[in-house]
Amino acid sequence: MKKIKEKKRGGIFLYTLALCLVLLTGCSSIQRQSGGDKRTEPRGNVSSEVGNTSREDNEPAAREFEITGKMITADENTILFLQDGEENGGLADFGTSDVLFYDQEGTELEAKALRPGMRIALSAAADSTSVERYPLGITGVHKVRVLEQQNDVVGLYLDILKAVYGADTALNDKITIAALDLTKEENLSKQEKEALRYLFWSYLTNAQESLPDGGSGHIDVMLSTWEELTEEGLIDKENLDFPEGILITIKAGQIKNDSFRFDVEKWRSGLGAIGYDSCEGTFEDGAGTYRLGAAWIS
């Protein structure tokens, strides 16, 4: 009986030893597996860095951001454009030095080939900054791709405003306000109306500064209607007089087959206004021209 007990104890010992070995092997396996995960993490980072290095040549967008929009003006130094997705604003500009330009097929363009009305996609470094002013200044732009040529509607309307402002200049005497009523105009978005207001303000400011006596001083340009100006007390409703400014109103139908009809008038008072009816605007390859219709004066 004693030997039997010893044999049983020996069997239990061997079984316990085997179980411990299994547990130790499992722990070692778990430790190696965990350590492998830890080792693969930095390897993953290294791989990612190599991948990023490769993308610098093949996929620069990985370290860039892209903005799309419509070009408003372009000169040898600056491009002014409207950013997509900004309903009431989005006017921005960037410098053209050290910027490469490409067409839809990826062929490099000269900056002088750019025209207002073009839809563009600009690429800038991820660490680029913006200058908090109006229009917004974007730095770090190094590539611009032309997406398509659209009609330069803003540019054409600006030409129309210049022509009407320059007619019967006595109505402009000593004004400090130029109001634009574009509520019955069907071809401009809210964005484009704001861009037109800014461009017309720039034009009037430059025109005033170029006069020998400096002109009549600062002129504010606003988007407003006759009713709104009356409610604000800027127009004397009883005497039909806008003592501080002029109101230019454009009524236009939609563009069809690159053409549209419009009426335009400049109003200072009940006895001081001019206008043109049955006018026509047309576009060819994106560039717009206009023809003023029958003139009237009061």
Side-chain angles (χ1 to χ4, degrees), residues 158-187:
L158 179 61
D159 289 342
I160 294 169
L161 289 178
K162 291 178 181 178
V164 175
Y165 178 79
D168 197 352
T169 56
L171 297 178
N172 308 333
D173 188 40
K174 297 181 181 179
I175 64 170
T176 59
I177 299 172
L180 306 178
D181 182 356
L182 305 175
T183 57
K184 297 180 181 178
E185 189 289 320
E186 300 182 13
N187 299 313

mmCIF file of all heavy atoms in Angstrom, residues 158-187:
data_model
loop_
_atom_site.group_PDB
_atom_site.id
_atom_site.type_symbol
_atom_site.label_atom_id
_atom_site.label_comp_id
_atom_site.label_asym_id
_atom_site.label_seq_id
_atom_site.Cartn_x
_atom_site.Cartn_y
_atom_site.Cartn_z
ATOM 1 N N LEU A 158 -19.765 94.521 -63.835
ATOM 2 C CA LEU A 158 -18.925 95.630 -63.394
ATOM 3 C C LEU A 158 -18.756 96.649 -64.519
ATOM 4 O O LEU A 158 -18.824 97.856 -64.284
ATOM 5 C CB LEU A 158 -17.557 95.109 -62.941
ATOM 6 C CG LEU A 158 -16.563 96.173 -62.463
ATOM 7 C CD1 LEU A 158 -17.109 96.932 -61.253
ATOM 8 C CD2 LEU A 158 -15.213 95.537 -62.139
ATOM 9 N N ASP A 159 -18.579 96.174 -65.741
ATOM 10 C CA ASP A 159 -18.471 97.086 -66.884
ATOM 11 C C ASP A 159 -19.753 97.902 -67.062
ATOM 12 O O ASP A 159 -19.707 99.099 -67.383
ATOM 13 C CB ASP A 159 -18.180 96.301 -68.161
ATOM 14 C CG ASP A 159 -16.772 95.735 -68.198
ATOM 15 O OD1 ASP A 159 -15.920 96.223 -67.429
ATOM 16 O OD2 ASP A 159 -16.527 94.792 -68.983
ATOM 17 N N ILE A 160 -20.890 97.249 -66.834
ATOM 18 C CA ILE A 160 -22.173 97.955 -66.959
ATOM 19 C C ILE A 160 -22.285 99.045 -65.888
ATOM 20 O O ILE A 160 -22.696 100.182 -66.170
ATOM 21 C CB ILE A 160 -23.345 96.955 -66.852
ATOM 22 C CG1 ILE A 160 -23.330 95.997 -68.045
ATOM 23 C CG2 ILE A 160 -24.682 97.698 -66.779
ATOM 24 C CD1 ILE A 160 -24.280 94.824 -67.909
ATOM 25 N N LEU A 161 -21.906 98.713 -64.671
ATOM 26 C CA LEU A 161 -21.956 99.702 -63.583
ATOM 27 C C LEU A 161 -21.045 100.891 -63.879
ATOM 28 O O LEU A 161 -21.409 102.048 -63.630
ATOM 29 C CB LEU A 161 -21.552 99.048 -62.264
ATOM 30 C CG LEU A 161 -22.536 98.052 -61.648
ATOM 31 C CD1 LEU A 161 -21.940 97.459 -60.371
ATOM 32 C CD2 LEU A 161 -23.878 98.709 -61.357
ATOM 33 N N LYS A 162 -19.860 100.618 -64.383
ATOM 34 C CA LYS A 162 -18.936 101.704 -64.716
ATOM 35 C C LYS A 162 -19.542 102.640 -65.770
ATOM 36 O O LYS A 162 -19.422 103.870 -65.668
ATOM 37 C CB LYS A 162 -17.621 101.134 -65.233
ATOM 38 C CG LYS A 162 -16.780 100.417 -64.187
ATOM 39 C CD LYS A 162 -15.527 99.854 -64.833
ATOM 40 C CE LYS A 162 -14.654 99.104 -63.859
ATOM 41 N NZ LYS A 162 -13.449 98.523 -64.519
ATOM 42 N N ALA A 163 -20.187 102.022 -66.777
ATOM 43 C CA ALA A 163 -20.770 102.833 -67.853
ATOM 44 C C ALA A 163 -21.897 103.712 -67.331
ATOM 45 O O ALA A 163 -21.984 104.904 -67.667
ATOM 46 C CB ALA A 163 -21.284 101.917 -68.963
ATOM 47 N N VAL A 164 -22.755 103.171 -66.491
ATOM 48 C CA VAL A 164 -23.882 103.936 -65.970
ATOM 49 C C VAL A 164 -23.398 105.004 -64.998
ATOM 50 O O VAL A 164 -23.896 106.134 -64.988
ATOM 51 C CB VAL A 164 -24.902 102.999 -65.286
ATOM 52 C CG1 VAL A 164 -26.018 103.793 -64.633
ATOM 53 C CG2 VAL A 164 -25.473 102.016 -66.296
ATOM 54 N N TYR A 165 -22.418 104.666 -64.184
ATOM 55 C CA TYR A 165 -21.870 105.652 -63.256
ATOM 56 C C TYR A 165 -21.237 106.816 -64.019
ATOM 57 O O TYR A 165 -21.347 107.981 -63.617
ATOM 58 C CB TYR A 165 -20.834 104.999 -62.348
ATOM 59 C CG TYR A 165 -20.182 105.970 -61.397
ATOM 60 C CD1 TYR A 165 -20.836 106.379 -60.239
ATOM 61 C CD2 TYR A 165 -18.911 106.485 -61.652
ATOM 62 C CE1 TYR A 165 -20.244 107.274 -59.359
ATOM 63 C CE2 TYR A 165 -18.319 107.381 -60.785
ATOM 64 C CZ TYR A 165 -18.984 107.776 -59.636
ATOM 65 O OH TYR A 165 -18.406 108.672 -58.778
ATOM 66 N N GLY A 166 -20.607 106.513 -65.139
ATOM 67 C CA GLY A 166 -19.944 107.551 -65.916
ATOM 68 C C GLY A 166 -20.871 108.377 -66.773
ATOM 69 O O GLY A 166 -20.451 109.396 -67.349
ATOM 70 N N ALA A 167 -22.148 107.990 -66.868
ATOM 71 C CA ALA A 167 -23.122 108.772 -67.649
ATOM 72 C C ALA A 167 -23.775 109.823 -66.755
ATOM 73 O O ALA A 167 -24.109 109.550 -65.598
ATOM 74 C CB ALA A 167 -24.184 107.836 -68.235
ATOM 75 N N ASP A 168 -23.981 111.009 -67.295
ATOM 76 C CA ASP A 168 -24.589 112.120 -66.555
ATOM 77 C C ASP A 168 -23.919 112.257 -65.185
ATOM 78 O O ASP A 168 -24.529 112.091 -64.126
ATOM 79 C CB ASP A 168 -26.096 111.895 -66.387
ATOM 80 C CG ASP A 168 -26.828 113.178 -66.002
ATOM 81 O OD1 ASP A 168 -26.150 114.196 -65.724
ATOM 82 O OD2 ASP A 168 -28.071 113.165 -65.957
ATOM 83 N N THR A 169 -22.652 112.608 -65.212
ATOM 84 C CA THR A 169 -21.858 112.650 -63.988
ATOM 85 C C THR A 169 -22.326 113.692 -62.982
ATOM 86 O O THR A 169 -21.935 113.647 -61.815
ATOM 87 C CB THR A 169 -20.380 112.921 -64.334
ATOM 88 O OG1 THR A 169 -20.281 114.130 -65.102
ATOM 89 C CG2 THR A 169 -19.796 111.765 -65.121
ATOM 90 N N ALA A 170 -23.181 114.621 -63.416
ATOM 91 C CA ALA A 170 -23.712 115.617 -62.476
ATOM 92 C C ALA A 170 -24.493 114.938 -61.359
ATOM 93 O O ALA A 170 -24.562 115.464 -60.233
ATOM 94 C CB ALA A 170 -24.604 116.614 -63.214
ATOM 95 N N LEU A 171 -25.059 113.777 -61.638
ATOM 96 C CA LEU A 171 -25.812 113.051 -60.610
ATOM 97 C C LEU A 171 -24.890 112.507 -59.523
ATOM 98 O O LEU A 171 -25.356 112.156 -58.427
ATOM 99 C CB LEU A 171 -26.595 111.895 -61.238
ATOM 100 C CG LEU A 171 -27.677 112.271 -62.256
ATOM 101 C CD1 LEU A 171 -28.340 111.013 -62.820
ATOM 102 C CD2 LEU A 171 -28.726 113.174 -61.617
ATOM 103 N N ASN A 172 -23.613 112.404 -59.820
ATOM 104 C CA ASN A 172 -22.657 111.848 -58.849
ATOM 105 C C ASN A 172 -22.039 112.910 -57.948
ATOM 106 O O ASN A 172 -21.218 112.582 -57.085
ATOM 107 C CB ASN A 172 -21.514 111.126 -59.585
ATOM 108 C CG ASN A 172 -22.012 110.116 -60.589
ATOM 109 O OD1 ASN A 172 -23.100 109.565 -60.450
ATOM 110 N ND2 ASN A 172 -21.204 109.854 -61.615
ATOM 111 N N ASP A 173 -22.434 114.150 -58.126
ATOM 112 C CA ASP A 173 -21.789 115.253 -57.435
ATOM 113 C C ASP A 173 -21.887 115.118 -55.915
ATOM 114 O O ASP A 173 -22.983 115.022 -55.342
ATOM 115 C CB ASP A 173 -22.417 116.582 -57.879
ATOM 116 C CG ASP A 173 -21.669 117.777 -57.339
ATOM 117 O OD1 ASP A 173 -20.424 117.720 -57.322
ATOM 118 O OD2 ASP A 173 -22.326 118.755 -56.927
ATOM 119 N N LYS A 174 -20.737 115.073 -55.277
ATOM 120 C CA LYS A 174 -20.607 115.056 -53.818
ATOM 121 C C LYS A 174 -21.324 113.879 -53.146
ATOM 122 O O LYS A 174 -21.766 113.993 -52.007
ATOM 123 C CB LYS A 174 -21.118 116.379 -53.225
ATOM 124 C CG LYS A 174 -20.317 117.593 -53.671
ATOM 125 C CD LYS A 174 -20.840 118.863 -53.039
ATOM 126 C CE LYS A 174 -20.034 120.080 -53.508
ATOM 127 N NZ LYS A 174 -20.537 121.344 -52.912
ATOM 128 N N ILE A 175 -21.418 112.771 -53.817
ATOM 129 C CA ILE A 175 -22.058 111.605 -53.191
ATOM 130 C C ILE A 175 -21.076 110.918 -52.245
ATOM 131 O O ILE A 175 -19.861 110.968 -52.436
ATOM 132 C CB ILE A 175 -22.560 110.582 -54.234
ATOM 133 C CG1 ILE A 175 -21.394 109.983 -55.019
ATOM 134 C CG2 ILE A 175 -23.577 111.212 -55.168
ATOM 135 C CD1 ILE A 175 -21.780 108.800 -55.893
ATOM 136 N N THR A 176 -21.600 110.285 -51.233
ATOM 137 C CA THR A 176 -20.803 109.465 -50.309
ATOM 138 C C THR A 176 -21.307 108.031 -50.263
ATOM 139 O O THR A 176 -20.724 107.190 -49.584
ATOM 140 C CB THR A 176 -20.841 110.051 -48.891
ATOM 141 O OG1 THR A 176 -22.205 110.112 -48.432
ATOM 142 C CG2 THR A 176 -20.229 111.446 -48.866
ATOM 143 N N ILE A 177 -22.407 107.771 -50.985
ATOM 144 C CA ILE A 177 -22.995 106.427 -51.005
ATOM 145 C C ILE A 177 -23.349 106.057 -52.443
ATOM 146 O O ILE A 177 -23.912 106.871 -53.187
ATOM 147 C CB ILE A 177 -24.276 106.339 -50.148
ATOM 148 C CG1 ILE A 177 -23.979 106.660 -48.685
ATOM 149 C CG2 ILE A 177 -24.904 104.953 -50.266
ATOM 150 C CD1 ILE A 177 -25.235 106.776 -47.828
ATOM 151 N N ALA A 178 -23.030 104.830 -52.819
ATOM 152 C CA ALA A 178 -23.498 104.263 -54.085
ATOM 153 C C ALA A 178 -24.193 102.952 -53.734
ATOM 154 O O ALA A 178 -23.547 101.989 -53.305
ATOM 155 C CB ALA A 178 -22.347 104.020 -55.045
ATOM 156 N N ALA A 179 -25.512 102.942 -53.861
ATOM 157 C CA ALA A 179 -26.289 101.753 -53.526
ATOM 158 C C ALA A 179 -26.603 100.959 -54.790
ATOM 159 O O ALA A 179 -26.891 101.541 -55.844
ATOM 160 C CB ALA A 179 -27.582 102.150 -52.823
ATOM 161 N N LEU A 180 -26.544 99.639 -54.682
ATOM 162 C CA LEU A 180 -26.827 98.754 -55.814
ATOM 163 C C LEU A 180 -28.028 97.884 -55.481
ATOM 164 O O LEU A 180 -28.021 97.167 -54.474
ATOM 165 C CB LEU A 180 -25.621 97.852 -56.108
ATOM 166 C CG LEU A 180 -24.274 98.534 -56.334
ATOM 167 C CD1 LEU A 180 -23.188 97.481 -56.558
ATOM 168 C CD2 LEU A 180 -24.341 99.504 -57.499
ATOM 169 N N ASP A 181 -29.053 97.972 -56.308
ATOM 170 C CA ASP A 181 -30.223 97.112 -56.156
ATOM 171 C C ASP A 181 -30.124 96.011 -57.208
ATOM 172 O O ASP A 181 -30.350 96.241 -58.395
ATOM 173 C CB ASP A 181 -31.520 97.914 -56.340
ATOM 174 C CG ASP A 181 -32.768 97.049 -56.127
ATOM 175 O OD1 ASP A 181 -32.619 95.823 -55.918
ATOM 176 O OD2 ASP A 181 -33.883 97.600 -56.176
ATOM 177 N N LEU A 182 -29.778 94.810 -56.754
ATOM 178 C CA LEU A 182 -29.622 93.659 -57.648
ATOM 179 C C LEU A 182 -30.651 92.573 -57.334
ATOM 180 O O LEU A 182 -30.474 91.412 -57.696
ATOM 181 C CB LEU A 182 -28.205 93.081 -57.510
ATOM 182 C CG LEU A 182 -27.056 94.073 -57.745
ATOM 183 C CD1 LEU A 182 -25.713 93.406 -57.465
ATOM 184 C CD2 LEU A 182 -27.096 94.623 -59.161
ATOM 185 N N THR A 183 -31.733 92.973 -56.664
ATOM 186 C CA THR A 183 -32.730 91.990 -56.247
ATOM 187 C C THR A 183 -33.562 91.457 -57.416
ATOM 188 O O THR A 183 -34.182 90.412 -57.299
ATOM 189 C CB THR A 183 -33.679 92.602 -55.203
ATOM 190 O OG1 THR A 183 -34.302 93.781 -55.740
ATOM 191 C CG2 THR A 183 -32.918 92.969 -53.933
ATOM 192 N N LYS A 184 -33.564 92.180 -58.543
ATOM 193 C CA LYS A 184 -34.315 91.720 -59.711
ATOM 194 C C LYS A 184 -33.367 91.309 -60.831
ATOM 195 O O LYS A 184 -33.676 91.408 -62.002
ATOM 196 C CB LYS A 184 -35.266 92.831 -60.178
ATOM 197 C CG LYS A 184 -36.326 93.175 -59.133
ATOM 198 C CD LYS A 184 -37.264 94.270 -59.612
ATOM 199 C CE LYS A 184 -38.299 94.608 -58.533
ATOM 200 N NZ LYS A 184 -39.210 95.703 -58.960
ATOM 201 N N GLU A 185 -32.246 90.824 -60.423
ATOM 202 C CA GLU A 185 -31.215 90.346 -61.339
ATOM 203 C C GLU A 185 -31.095 88.830 -61.142
ATOM 204 O O GLU A 185 -30.989 88.364 -60.012
ATOM 205 C CB GLU A 185 -29.896 91.053 -61.019
ATOM 206 C CG GLU A 185 -28.798 90.833 -61.997
ATOM 207 C CD GLU A 185 -28.278 89.434 -61.899
ATOM 208 O OE1 GLU A 185 -28.154 88.915 -60.772
ATOM 209 O OE2 GLU A 185 -28.018 88.829 -62.953
ATOM 210 N N GLU A 186 -31.109 88.049 -62.220
ATOM 211 C CA GLU A 186 -31.230 86.594 -62.115
ATOM 212 C C GLU A 186 -29.959 85.825 -62.454
ATOM 213 O O GLU A 186 -29.989 84.599 -62.526
ATOM 214 C CB GLU A 186 -32.374 86.103 -63.010
ATOM 215 C CG GLU A 186 -33.730 86.696 -62.662
ATOM 216 C CD GLU A 186 -34.850 86.149 -63.535
ATOM 217 O OE1 GLU A 186 -34.628 85.147 -64.232
ATOM 218 O OE2 GLU A 186 -35.948 86.735 -63.506
ATOM 219 N N ASN A 187 -28.857 86.502 -62.635
ATOM 220 C CA ASN A 187 -27.660 85.800 -63.100
ATOM 221 C C ASN A 187 -26.513 85.756 -62.090
ATOM 222 O O ASN A 187 -25.505 85.103 -62.345
ATOM 223 C CB ASN A 187 -27.148 86.455 -64.390
ATOM 224 C CG ASN A 187 -28.167 86.388 -65.506
ATOM 225 O OD1 ASN A 187 -28.760 85.344 -65.760
ATOM 226 N ND2 ASN A 187 -28.399 87.513 -66.178
#
